[in-house]
Amino acid sequence: MPTSPPGEGQAGFSLFEIIVVLVLMGLAAALILPSFSGGLSGLELEASARDLVTHMKHLRSEAIAQQEVYRVVLSNGDDDSSRYQLTNAYEEELKSFDLPRGAGFVLPDSAAQWTVSFYPSGRSSGGEFRLRSEAGKQLVVVVDPITGLAGVSKDLGDRP
């Protein structure tokens, strides 16, 4: 009667056990992955808002340094795309940036386009608008008319 060394028959997993583990992992991934996509769109929205505020701060600095008026023009397109343009006092486009797919602006008075101007004194035309995602998340961007500084805050839901 042949004898095998101790533990030789116990090594490894059966094919059935491996298949069961793979099926369970697939089910878990199918349940978890959709929640990650919503989180990623929220992160894209926050990054876009920070980029926009950074561009506004840069334009304010340029307006002071060059002693000229600079503007940010926000617009929602007809095809569900939104973008903002950086322009000089002559409305010549310096740069243009698109928001992520599904994101858009909620502008004052439901306008299709809105402009924030930055003046050589450091002041701005000021205002407040929102960025929104497809999932309904909103971020508020506020531009102070006296200091010309812009900032982002999360929507508290208590404003119209």
Side-chain angles (χ1 to χ4, degrees):
M1 185 180 221
T3 60
S4 59
E8 186 176 300
Q10 304 290 329
F13 298 100
S14 70
L15 181 59
F16 179 73
E17 291 171 324
I18 292 173
I19 290 173
V20 167
V21 168
L22 290 176
V23 167
L24 290 174
M25 287 175 59
L27 288 173
L31 293 173
I32 293 172
L33 286 179
S35 65
F36 281 123
S37 65
L40 291 178
S41 68
L43 290 176
E44 284 180 334
L45 186 69
E46 288 180 24
S48 294
R50 282 193 308 272
D51 289 346
L52 173 57
V53 167
T54 300
H55 290 127
M56 288 179 161
K57 289 178 180 178
H58 175 72
L59 278 187
R60 178 183 174 273
S61 296
E62 283 296 310
I64 294 168
Q66 302 298 325
Q67 290 295 294
E68 290 187 19
V69 176
Y70 286 90
R71 294 183 174 90
V72 176
V73 181
L74 312 169
S75 58
N76 289 317
D78 294 334
D79 58 349
D80 213 21
S81 65
S82 297
R83 67 180 338 173
Y84 61 95
Q85 299 169 329
L86 311 180
T87 68
N88 61 15
Y90 307 107
E91 305 282 332
E92 297 170 339
E93 182 179 310
L94 304 174
K95 285 188 179 177
S96 175
F97 301 92
D98 292 323
L99 291 183
R101 185 173 179 84
F105 297 109
V106 180
L107 302 174
D109 302 323
S110 301
Q113 184 171 316
W114 194 61
T115 302
V116 179
S117 299
F118 295 93
Y119 305 114
S121 64
R123 298 181 77 159
S124 74
S125 58
E128 179 179 306
F129 60 93
R130 298 173 189 210
L131 274 79
R132 57 139 178 85
S133 69
E134 272 183 323
K137 180 177 182 178
Q138 293 192 16
L139 297 173
V140 179
V141 177
V142 179
V143 184
D144 187 281
I146 296 172
T147 64
L149 295 176
V152 180
S153 65
K154 292 193 185 327
D155 185 14
L156 302 176
D158 57 353
R159 297 183 207 169

